[in-house]
Amino acid sequence: MIKRRALLKFAGLGLAAQTMAVGQYSWAVRPAQSASQRSAQTQQTGKRLIVVFLRGGIDGLNVVAPYQEDRYYQLRPTIAVPRPAQTGGLLKLDERFGLHPALAPILPLWQQGSLAFVQACGSPVLTRSHFDAQDYFETGEPGFHNTEGWMNRLLATSADVSPIEAATIGATIPKILAGDQPVANLPPGPNPLQPMALDRLPIAQAFDQIYGGDDALSQLYREAKATRATLRATFAADHEELANNGAPLPVTFAVDAAKLAQLMKRQPAVHLGFMALGGWDTHVEQGSSAGRLATLLGYLGEGLATLKQELGALYAETVVVVMSEFGRTLHENGNGGTDHGYGNVLWLLGGAVKGGKVYGDWTDLDRLENPRELPVHTDFRDPLRLALQRHLGLSERELAAVFPGHRMTQKLDLL
Amino acid sequence: MLKSCLLALLLWLTLQMPVARAAEMPASAKAQHLLNRLSFGAKPGDLEQVNTMGIEAYIQQQLDPSLAEPSLLTAKLEPLETLHLTPYQLLLDYSPSLQIRQFRQQGLGSISQEQLNAVNAKAQVVLQQATQAKLWRAIDSPHQLQEVMVDFWYNHFNVFGHAGNSRIWVGAYEQQAIRPHVLGQFRDLLGATAHHPAMLDYLDNWLNTAPESPGARPPLNGLNENYARELMELHTLGVEGGYSQADVEALARILTGWSYCGIAIRESNREASNREIPDNGFCFAPRRHDLREKLFLGQKIPADGMAAGVAEGERALDILAEHPATAKFISYKLAQYFVADEPPAQLVNRLAQQFRATDGNILAVLQTLFKSPEFWDETVLNAKFKTPYQFAISAIRAADLEPSNLNPVLGLMRQLGMPVYGCETPDGYKNTEAAWLSPDAMLRRVNWATALASGRLLASPATAPANPADPSLSAAPVDGQKLLTTLGGSVSPKTRQVIANRRDPLRSALILGAPEFMYR
């Protein structure tokens, strides 16, 4: 049984509140409650956080590769990415690391100083299970099996509860957003607003009666209708364009990134966003500068560049975190792929990021105690905590609620 | 001796402890509960049947593996010719990669886009037929528990069916490796999945090769631990089952050379060409097997030559199937599927005992489960949130529809994030509320129920676009009165009140889209 959800309050959701007010059923349209100063400030300044989760364990060692180390090339005879300036070579980031060439679309962000990486980052509790490791990243409490995600706890720290303060692209609510606070999920793909039977008044009225109660399903139903009304209002003007006439983006991820960016831009209440991209579990023939991993990175790079472009001026007020449950083995396996490892690279993008730098402690590959995988020098919650603290302005007490028991392991000055 | 006495005492004490929340559900709700959990939901007449034959008799009937498929259903499945092919036949006739390779070998130059499309379309037919058969059986088969268990075990041993050769194999996999064993011995089920080309392909074990073995060559150069890890984490012991990274590597070594016919034959030596192809498509590649002694979960697997590779793997599967962690893990998942998202620990323990006492007899474990007070506890009544698949199938069954077009079902599955045969990750689809309940899903379910209630949604032939003049489009709306009889007491007073002065199809839409119909 799900817990009783936090009641909807339509503060800060002018459009939706207007739309919903015409319904004659039991909408809990409430006046804005005394929003905390910080929350009001957040809305004014429009600070946003977007998390992109790469499910399957991306091979971070080929994303931000230590090209100065011979060991990297010895361990990966067929999949290492060539040194910068060679054919298909890495894009030089600094004297130590290079970026996978398929990520060329986001290299300008590095050069402009709004893209940073944290190497050898991950969960302090080791697991090589995708599902446990993703759980740890999503609950924010490594080693425990909770049902509540840290982004939902983050929502709870802001005073307004509207169904559309946090938006995720996808048919289901990922664990990172699961919990008492309402979260809107937008269907993936180009046309989120296809006509529905529920758009017809007699049908809607009948179902509104059936879903008029206090139970969890009824609340979700009402949240969903409010979200749909908001989306319709938000995208009314360019609905057609979104649907089919606009320049179609070849990759769903970029389409969805554009959709999320537009929603956040037009609806100041939406300050948290989430997207996931799968397919990173490259046990076989992952390739080097070209191949399976490169193709996926191409989609990702294009999606992130689209996100930045569509956010426009709001990019300056946004922090985008890209993370994945674990890294992969240092050595390539017998089939031109890599198996489950440990430490990985975490990415940060956005105007507030002190970019152009690879953060985090690093041990040369030939000096590692465990030659199988990268260690975790930096707890993944370190950069997240900083984003919450310095970017969203959470207090120590609120931070403790979002990441209970977490203490900074590294001194990072990345925001 | 003292130890076993103590254990017996502990067990006795456990059994004597009062079960918390021991209130049994009202007798009038029992038949409905049984149909909700042992089937994909009631069809017209089902409730009456259970009430007539009695709870116990219905359970025994559903647990009887010899219950035959009705001839009408068999006749419906008959034209799906690819259902009867072995994995090897499917590989030869339908594999896109093989056909593209043959095309190149015949020196016909580069393959055109049209030819490529044709090759892919051919593979797609196999997946379509498998999907059709799965849905028709789930909707129509009177042996509902078997279909429910196919759903359960397929997800337990999930294979993603929308890429590469999996497209041509998932149907055969379900048909040959899963279906025959859903109520049988767990070890047989485990073995059948481990040998099947669909699994060998999906989790990469067909590539798993002892480094520097005589058979090693690109891209078969060394170990691949993907299957070995998931075999323990997801299929048997569970992630907390007490294995280490060393065990993963040992198991990967044990399973080197486990491959499927086609790949194994091509690379094998001369006598291979006249080697017999087994029906399950499993071929062992001895020249890629690891010859060292292995230490797996504390047990020594002695080095016994290349040919011993199959026996080594079987030994490892024995160890895994007999492991107490496996009994616990499988019991937990069964209890979660049939009883509650967070199943009572006492029930899980009892099921695990039964699992071990019967060497993993699934039927025996289910007997225990369906007799347990936890299964009949009133708190679990109508408390499992239906997965999108369960929702769609149960609505079609309740409405007594004979779909001639399944595309709207498949579309809903995609929209709700549960495409048929389309779970990319090896953990399979979950069956918990947390996994499937979302605001958007609620709107889509209600919307789909409304479309279904019109009676037209699944009526038009899949091939033709909707045409208003199509006679099938004048299909009658779903009969709300009949629905009320079919679903009996599970329709809530509130729904009954709202539908009181409404007519079909809105009345039937409201019943199928009501909150209580989202649960089983």
Side-chain angles (χ1 to χ4, degrees), chain B residues 35-56:
Chain B
L35 286 166
N36 270 340
R37 302 290 168 99
L38 272 67
S39 83
F40 281 112
K43 255 177 117 86
D46 282 357
L47 202 51
E48 220 177 346
Q49 191 204 353
V50 178
N51 282 329
T52 310
M53 71 194 290
I55 300 286
E56 186 53 32

PDB file of all heavy atoms in Angstrom, chain B residues 35-56:
ATOM      1  N   LEU B  35      -9.478 -16.023  -8.337  1.00  0.00           N
ATOM      2  CA  LEU B  35      -9.419 -15.715  -9.769  1.00  0.00           C
ATOM      3  C   LEU B  35      -8.457 -14.561 -10.039  1.00  0.00           C
ATOM      4  O   LEU B  35      -7.754 -14.539 -11.042  1.00  0.00           O
ATOM      5  CB  LEU B  35     -10.815 -15.369 -10.290  1.00  0.00           C
ATOM      6  CG  LEU B  35     -11.755 -16.571 -10.442  1.00  0.00           C
ATOM      7  CD1 LEU B  35     -13.192 -16.112 -10.630  1.00  0.00           C
ATOM      8  CD2 LEU B  35     -11.317 -17.463 -11.603  1.00  0.00           C
ATOM      9  N   ASN B  36      -8.418 -13.612  -9.124  1.00  0.00           N
ATOM     10  CA  ASN B  36      -7.502 -12.486  -9.296  1.00  0.00           C
ATOM     11  C   ASN B  36      -6.043 -12.915  -9.262  1.00  0.00           C
ATOM     12  O   ASN B  36      -5.208 -12.337  -9.949  1.00  0.00           O
ATOM     13  CB  ASN B  36      -7.717 -11.461  -8.182  1.00  0.00           C
ATOM     14  CG  ASN B  36      -8.759 -10.433  -8.563  1.00  0.00           C
ATOM     15  OD1 ASN B  36      -9.054 -10.257  -9.742  1.00  0.00           O
ATOM     16  ND2 ASN B  36      -9.302  -9.764  -7.564  1.00  0.00           N
ATOM     17  N   ARG B  37      -5.736 -13.894  -8.445  1.00  0.00           N
ATOM     18  CA  ARG B  37      -4.323 -14.261  -8.270  1.00  0.00           C
ATOM     19  C   ARG B  37      -3.898 -15.472  -9.096  1.00  0.00           C
ATOM     20  O   ARG B  37      -2.761 -15.542  -9.527  1.00  0.00           O
ATOM     21  CB  ARG B  37      -4.036 -14.527  -6.786  1.00  0.00           C
ATOM     22  CG  ARG B  37      -4.347 -13.365  -5.845  1.00  0.00           C
ATOM     23  CD  ARG B  37      -3.378 -12.200  -6.013  1.00  0.00           C
ATOM     24  NE  ARG B  37      -3.840 -11.007  -5.323  1.00  0.00           N
ATOM     25  CZ  ARG B  37      -3.411 -10.608  -4.127  1.00  0.00           C
ATOM     26  NH1 ARG B  37      -2.517 -11.306  -3.475  1.00  0.00           N
ATOM     27  NH2 ARG B  37      -3.887  -9.506  -3.590  1.00  0.00           N
ATOM     28  N   LEU B  38      -4.793 -16.444  -9.280  1.00  0.00           N
ATOM     29  CA  LEU B  38      -4.404 -17.643 -10.031  1.00  0.00           C
ATOM     30  C   LEU B  38      -4.685 -17.511 -11.521  1.00  0.00           C
ATOM     31  O   LEU B  38      -4.279 -18.353 -12.317  1.00  0.00           O
ATOM     32  CB  LEU B  38      -5.119 -18.902  -9.485  1.00  0.00           C
ATOM     33  CG  LEU B  38      -4.411 -19.618  -8.345  1.00  0.00           C
ATOM     34  CD1 LEU B  38      -4.379 -18.774  -7.091  1.00  0.00           C
ATOM     35  CD2 LEU B  38      -5.053 -20.966  -8.048  1.00  0.00           C
ATOM     36  N   SER B  39      -5.412 -16.446 -11.875  1.00  0.00           N
ATOM     37  CA  SER B  39      -5.672 -16.238 -13.303  1.00  0.00           C
ATOM     38  C   SER B  39      -5.407 -14.779 -13.627  1.00  0.00           C
ATOM     39  O   SER B  39      -5.109 -13.980 -12.742  1.00  0.00           O
ATOM     40  CB  SER B  39      -7.123 -16.596 -13.641  1.00  0.00           C
ATOM     41  OG  SER B  39      -7.992 -15.515 -13.354  1.00  0.00           O
ATOM     42  N   PHE B  40      -5.554 -14.441 -14.917  1.00  0.00           N
ATOM     43  CA  PHE B  40      -5.431 -13.029 -15.300  1.00  0.00           C
ATOM     44  C   PHE B  40      -6.756 -12.315 -15.123  1.00  0.00           C
ATOM     45  O   PHE B  40      -7.058 -11.368 -15.840  1.00  0.00           O
ATOM     46  CB  PHE B  40      -4.956 -12.923 -16.750  1.00  0.00           C
ATOM     47  CG  PHE B  40      -3.482 -13.141 -16.917  1.00  0.00           C
ATOM     48  CD1 PHE B  40      -2.987 -14.258 -17.564  1.00  0.00           C
ATOM     49  CD2 PHE B  40      -2.573 -12.229 -16.402  1.00  0.00           C
ATOM     50  CE1 PHE B  40      -1.626 -14.464 -17.719  1.00  0.00           C
ATOM     51  CE2 PHE B  40      -1.205 -12.420 -16.550  1.00  0.00           C
ATOM     52  CZ  PHE B  40      -0.724 -13.541 -17.202  1.00  0.00           C
ATOM     53  N   GLY B  41      -7.568 -12.759 -14.174  1.00  0.00           N
ATOM     54  CA  GLY B  41      -8.835 -12.095 -13.908  1.00  0.00           C
ATOM     55  C   GLY B  41     -10.006 -12.888 -14.477  1.00  0.00           C
ATOM     56  O   GLY B  41      -9.849 -13.694 -15.397  1.00  0.00           O
ATOM     57  N   ALA B  42     -11.177 -12.617 -13.906  1.00  0.00           N
ATOM     58  CA  ALA B  42     -12.354 -13.414 -14.241  1.00  0.00           C
ATOM     59  C   ALA B  42     -12.890 -13.104 -15.626  1.00  0.00           C
ATOM     60  O   ALA B  42     -12.947 -11.950 -16.044  1.00  0.00           O
ATOM     61  CB  ALA B  42     -13.446 -13.157 -13.203  1.00  0.00           C
ATOM     62  N   LYS B  43     -13.247 -14.175 -16.324  1.00  0.00           N
ATOM     63  CA  LYS B  43     -14.041 -14.095 -17.552  1.00  0.00           C
ATOM     64  C   LYS B  43     -15.480 -14.418 -17.151  1.00  0.00           C
ATOM     65  O   LYS B  43     -15.697 -14.998 -16.087  1.00  0.00           O
ATOM     66  CB  LYS B  43     -13.566 -15.190 -18.516  1.00  0.00           C
ATOM     67  CG  LYS B  43     -12.730 -14.757 -19.691  1.00  0.00           C
ATOM     68  CD  LYS B  43     -12.301 -15.996 -20.458  1.00  0.00           C
ATOM     69  CE  LYS B  43     -12.856 -16.004 -21.865  1.00  0.00           C
ATOM     70  NZ  LYS B  43     -12.039 -15.299 -22.818  1.00  0.00           N
ATOM     71  N   PRO B  44     -16.448 -14.064 -17.999  1.00  0.00           N
ATOM     72  CA  PRO B  44     -17.821 -14.436 -17.654  1.00  0.00           C
ATOM     73  C   PRO B  44     -17.917 -15.938 -17.362  1.00  0.00           C
ATOM     74  O   PRO B  44     -17.356 -16.753 -18.102  1.00  0.00           O
ATOM     75  CB  PRO B  44     -18.605 -14.082 -18.924  1.00  0.00           C
ATOM     76  CG  PRO B  44     -17.809 -13.007 -19.570  1.00  0.00           C
ATOM     77  CD  PRO B  44     -16.378 -13.308 -19.250  1.00  0.00           C
ATOM     78  N   GLY B  45     -18.564 -16.272 -16.287  1.00  0.00           N
ATOM     79  CA  GLY B  45     -18.746 -17.689 -15.944  1.00  0.00           C
ATOM     80  C   GLY B  45     -17.719 -18.224 -14.962  1.00  0.00           C
ATOM     81  O   GLY B  45     -17.956 -19.221 -14.280  1.00  0.00           O
ATOM     82  N   ASP B  46     -16.552 -17.564 -14.878  1.00  0.00           N
ATOM     83  CA  ASP B  46     -15.488 -18.071 -14.003  1.00  0.00           C
ATOM     84  C   ASP B  46     -15.903 -18.083 -12.537  1.00  0.00           C
ATOM     85  O   ASP B  46     -15.662 -19.051 -11.809  1.00  0.00           O
ATOM     86  CB  ASP B  46     -14.220 -17.221 -14.158  1.00  0.00           C
ATOM     87  CG  ASP B  46     -13.439 -17.559 -15.412  1.00  0.00           C
ATOM     88  OD1 ASP B  46     -13.864 -18.499 -16.129  1.00  0.00           O
ATOM     89  OD2 ASP B  46     -12.419 -16.898 -15.680  1.00  0.00           O
ATOM     90  N   LEU B  47     -16.517 -16.999 -12.124  1.00  0.00           N
ATOM     91  CA  LEU B  47     -16.889 -16.864 -10.722  1.00  0.00           C
ATOM     92  C   LEU B  47     -17.883 -17.967 -10.331  1.00  0.00           C
ATOM     93  O   LEU B  47     -17.740 -18.630  -9.296  1.00  0.00           O
ATOM     94  CB  LEU B  47     -17.523 -15.481 -10.519  1.00  0.00           C
ATOM     95  CG  LEU B  47     -17.535 -14.891  -9.124  1.00  0.00           C
ATOM     96  CD1 LEU B  47     -16.156 -14.912  -8.500  1.00  0.00           C
ATOM     97  CD2 LEU B  47     -18.041 -13.438  -9.184  1.00  0.00           C
ATOM     98  N   GLU B  48     -18.820 -18.169 -11.224  1.00  0.00           N
ATOM     99  CA  GLU B  48     -19.824 -19.211 -11.027  1.00  0.00           C
ATOM    100  C   GLU B  48     -19.142 -20.578 -10.923  1.00  0.00           C
ATOM    101  O   GLU B  48     -19.454 -21.381 -10.049  1.00  0.00           O
ATOM    102  CB  GLU B  48     -20.740 -19.202 -12.249  1.00  0.00           C
ATOM    103  CG  GLU B  48     -22.188 -19.391 -11.954  1.00  0.00           C
ATOM    104  CD  GLU B  48     -22.988 -19.296 -13.244  1.00  0.00           C
ATOM    105  OE1 GLU B  48     -22.446 -18.839 -14.276  1.00  0.00           O
ATOM    106  OE2 GLU B  48     -24.148 -19.707 -13.201  1.00  0.00           O
ATOM    107  N   GLN B  49     -18.189 -20.785 -11.822  1.00  0.00           N
ATOM    108  CA  GLN B  49     -17.501 -22.069 -11.848  1.00  0.00           C
ATOM    109  C   GLN B  49     -16.782 -22.333 -10.529  1.00  0.00           C
ATOM    110  O   GLN B  49     -16.886 -23.419  -9.953  1.00  0.00           O
ATOM    111  CB  GLN B  49     -16.501 -22.084 -13.011  1.00  0.00           C
ATOM    112  CG  GLN B  49     -15.922 -23.463 -13.292  1.00  0.00           C
ATOM    113  CD  GLN B  49     -14.563 -23.374 -13.992  1.00  0.00           C
ATOM    114  OE1 GLN B  49     -14.098 -22.300 -14.381  1.00  0.00           O
ATOM    115  NE2 GLN B  49     -13.926 -24.531 -14.140  1.00  0.00           N
ATOM    116  N   VAL B  50     -16.061 -21.334 -10.032  1.00  0.00           N
ATOM    117  CA  VAL B  50     -15.337 -21.523  -8.771  1.00  0.00           C
ATOM    118  C   VAL B  50     -16.322 -21.762  -7.632  1.00  0.00           C
ATOM    119  O   VAL B  50     -16.093 -22.630  -6.778  1.00  0.00           O
ATOM    120  CB  VAL B  50     -14.439 -20.308  -8.458  1.00  0.00           C
ATOM    121  CG1 VAL B  50     -13.737 -20.483  -7.121  1.00  0.00           C
ATOM    122  CG2 VAL B  50     -13.414 -20.100  -9.560  1.00  0.00           C
ATOM    123  N   ASN B  51     -17.406 -21.007  -7.640  1.00  0.00           N
ATOM    124  CA  ASN B  51     -18.386 -21.196  -6.568  1.00  0.00           C
ATOM    125  C   ASN B  51     -19.008 -22.588  -6.620  1.00  0.00           C
ATOM    126  O   ASN B  51     -19.276 -23.196  -5.589  1.00  0.00           O
ATOM    127  CB  ASN B  51     -19.467 -20.126  -6.651  1.00  0.00           C
ATOM    128  CG  ASN B  51     -18.963 -18.796  -6.085  1.00  0.00           C
ATOM    129  OD1 ASN B  51     -18.123 -18.786  -5.177  1.00  0.00           O
ATOM    130  ND2 ASN B  51     -19.433 -17.697  -6.638  1.00  0.00           N
ATOM    131  N   THR B  52     -19.206 -23.105  -7.827  1.00  0.00           N
ATOM    132  CA  THR B  52     -19.794 -24.427  -7.963  1.00  0.00           C
ATOM    133  C   THR B  52     -18.812 -25.519  -7.567  1.00  0.00           C
ATOM    134  O   THR B  52     -19.120 -26.418  -6.786  1.00  0.00           O
ATOM    135  CB  THR B  52     -20.245 -24.664  -9.424  1.00  0.00           C
ATOM    136  OG1 THR B  52     -21.024 -23.551  -9.827  1.00  0.00           O
ATOM    137  CG2 THR B  52     -21.059 -25.937  -9.555  1.00  0.00           C
ATOM    138  N   MET B  53     -17.623 -25.440  -8.103  1.00  0.00           N
ATOM    139  CA  MET B  53     -16.670 -26.539  -7.840  1.00  0.00           C
ATOM    140  C   MET B  53     -15.962 -26.403  -6.494  1.00  0.00           C
ATOM    141  O   MET B  53     -15.454 -27.393  -5.963  1.00  0.00           O
ATOM    142  CB  MET B  53     -15.678 -26.700  -8.996  1.00  0.00           C
ATOM    143  CG  MET B  53     -14.638 -25.619  -9.166  1.00  0.00           C
ATOM    144  SD  MET B  53     -13.796 -25.736 -10.791  1.00  0.00           S
ATOM    145  CE  MET B  53     -12.836 -27.231 -10.559  1.00  0.00           C
ATOM    146  N   GLY B  54     -15.932 -25.240  -5.949  1.00  0.00           N
ATOM    147  CA  GLY B  54     -15.274 -25.045  -4.664  1.00  0.00           C
ATOM    148  C   GLY B  54     -13.837 -24.578  -4.823  1.00  0.00           C
ATOM    149  O   GLY B  54     -13.183 -24.861  -5.834  1.00  0.00           O
ATOM    150  N   ILE B  55     -13.374 -23.850  -3.813  1.00  0.00           N
ATOM    151  CA  ILE B  55     -12.037 -23.252  -3.825  1.00  0.00           C
ATOM    152  C   ILE B  55     -10.954 -24.307  -4.040  1.00  0.00           C
ATOM    153  O   ILE B  55     -10.102 -24.190  -4.913  1.00  0.00           O
ATOM    154  CB  ILE B  55     -11.782 -22.529  -2.474  1.00  0.00           C
ATOM    155  CG1 ILE B  55     -12.817 -21.421  -2.240  1.00  0.00           C
ATOM    156  CG2 ILE B  55     -10.367 -22.016  -2.372  1.00  0.00           C
ATOM    157  CD1 ILE B  55     -12.641 -20.190  -3.058  1.00  0.00           C
ATOM    158  N   GLU B  56     -10.998 -25.328  -3.210  1.00  0.00           N
ATOM    159  CA  GLU B  56      -9.940 -26.333  -3.221  1.00  0.00           C
ATOM    160  C   GLU B  56      -9.879 -27.038  -4.583  1.00  0.00           C
ATOM    161  O   GLU B  56      -8.805 -27.249  -5.150  1.00  0.00           O
ATOM    162  CB  GLU B  56     -10.175 -27.340  -2.082  1.00  0.00           C
ATOM    163  CG  GLU B  56      -9.083 -28.354  -1.879  1.00  0.00           C
ATOM    164  CD  GLU B  56      -7.686 -27.740  -1.723  1.00  0.00           C
ATOM    165  OE1 GLU B  56      -7.580 -26.613  -1.189  1.00  0.00           O
ATOM    166  OE2 GLU B  56      -6.710 -28.396  -2.164  1.00  0.00           O
TER     167      GLU B  56
END
